[in-house]
Amino acid sequence: MIVEFLENTGLPDWAVDAIGDSFAVLPFLFVIFLLVEFFEFYFSGKVNRFMKSARKSGPVIGSLASIIPQCGFSVIASTLYVRRFITRGTLVAIYLATSDEALPVLLSNPKAYHYVLPVILIKLLVAIPAGYLVDFLFKNADRRECSGCSEGSDVQPVERGCCKHEILSNFRKDLIIHPIKHTIHTFAFILLITLVLNYFINVDVISNFYASNMTSYKIIQPAVTALIGLIPNCAVSIAITLMLIKGTISFGAAMAGLMSNAGLGLLVLMRINNIKDTLKIVSVLLAISIFFGIILQFVM
């Protein structure tokens, strides 16, 4: 019905397709974010407490928990790390495994279901060993300092995730209000990014780029998307996922970007952690993402 109406407006086909495709995923997005909100409301606190007390199994617990799309799990992880509740390896594992908006976008598009399981499995297979390796390599690292807080303190600063949502809030009204806000927020990004992608595909800009860079893009793409993935904004994971669905970037490149993308977690880390330690973490995250992205380029 929406597509038929748009076709009568005189809009170009690429715009009609973009708007139609975006509205088609809207109900799926709401259901997914509603389920995510219920998980956060009833289980995220238990996961956080368990992570604090189980340091040796931190990379496993953190990776498994962060695979489930959540509004601010990486933000919470960054705060726990700075306060020394979790190790550097656990934080890196969480960053690598977190999907931000990637899985909701994939799950909302029936044509992209075949990507869901590979994305989950690859993230876990990379994140868990990488977390333990980082802990092993940096086990004698200098003690980190947290300005404005003391080690082991129960006082935790209020952090906000997407949609200005208070991550640690525990209000039942958020079970409905936040999924609605999150759905509208994500839908707006999907619509905008899809319009841009469809336009460039329509004018063959992306096809021409591939034609002129066919010999080198296998290495360039993962590096570029991994760098883009470091941008602390959920729009980045949406853009990378949509480009994967539309075939404008390869699976390896998309995975490189999705592994380096830690949502707002990196923003919090940059704000409250010391610069030297943060640069180490970002460098490790970027190196792992590019390395496995290039491997996937040649394997898949």
Side-chain angles (χ1 to χ4, degrees), residues 45-277:
K46 296 178 182 178
V47 172
N48 295 336
R49 288 191 293 273
F50 193 53
M51 281 177 54
K52 291 180 183 180
S53 60
R55 294 175 67 86
K56 290 185 178 180
S57 56
V60 175
I61 298 170
S63 298
L64 290 173
S66 56
I67 277 292
I68 301 171
Q70 299 175 57
C71 181
F73 191 75
S74 65
V75 173
I76 295 173
S78 297
T79 303
L80 293 178
Y81 170 73
V82 173
R83 302 174 70 80
R84 306 185 188 95
F85 282 120
I86 62 174
T87 65
R88 180 183 285 152
T90 298
L91 182 68
V92 170
I94 289 171
Y95 282 172
L96 289 168
T98 189
S99 65
D100 208 20
E101 311 294 0
L103 285 183
V105 172
L106 290 174
L107 290 170
S108 66
N109 191 329
K111 296 179 182 179
Y113 284 171
H114 63 284
Y115 286 122
V116 174
L117 191 58
V119 168
I120 292 175
L121 290 177
I122 290 172
K123 276 180 164 284
L124 289 176
L125 290 173
V126 171
I128 295 174
Y132 282 109
L133 179 61
V134 169
D135 275 344
F136 176 77
L137 294 176
F138 293 96
K139 61 183 177 181
N140 294 320
D142 295 334
R143 288 174 59 86
R144 291 163 275 127
E145 295 183 358
C146 171
S147 58
C149 61
S150 58
E151 183 175 2
S153 172
D154 291 329
V155 179
Q156 191 153 336
V158 175
E159 297 291 357
R160 295 181 183 272
C162 60
C163 322
K164 306 299 181 182
H165 175 62
E166 290 188 10
I167 296 170
L168 298 178
S169 67
N170 197 28
F171 304 109
R172 289 190 178 276
K173 64 179 183 179
D174 288 333
L175 289 173
I176 298 297
I177 294 175
H178 183 240
I180 293 174
K181 289 182 178 179
H182 203 164
T183 300
I184 295 172
H185 190 252
T186 304
F187 169 76
F189 278 125
I190 290 176
L191 177 59
L192 177 61
I193 294 168
T194 305
L195 281 169
V196 173
L197 288 177
N198 278 17
Y199 171 76
F200 282 113
I201 292 172
N202 181 67
V203 297
D204 291 331
V205 170
I206 296 177
S207 298
N208 292 335
F209 175 81
Y210 266 81
S212 60
N213 295 275
M214 193 56 67
T215 58
S216 60
Y217 85 94
K218 281 193 173 183
I219 294 179
I220 292 176
Q221 273 201 22
V224 172
T225 51
L227 283 169
I228 294 173
L230 291 177
I231 300 173
N233 192 301
C234 63
V236 174
S237 62
I238 294 173
I240 292 173
T241 307
L242 290 176
M243 291 176 73
L244 172 64
I245 294 173
K246 289 183 174 294
T248 55
I249 60 173
S250 65
F251 181 76
M255 287 304 301
L258 293 177
M259 283 189 285
S260 67
N261 182 257
L264 296 177
L266 278 179
L267 191 64
V268 173
L269 189 69
M270 294 174 186
R271 191 179 76 237
I272 64 177
N273 194 34
N274 71 71
I275 297 176
K276 184 179 179 180
D277 188 47

Side-chain angles (χ1 to χ4, degrees), residues 37-46 49 170 172 175:
E37 192 67 30
F38 270 89
F39 177 86
E40 285 188 301
F41 188 87
Y42 290 106
F43 299 107
S44 61
K46 296 178 182 178
R49 288 191 293 273
N170 197 28
R172 289 190 178 276
L175 289 173

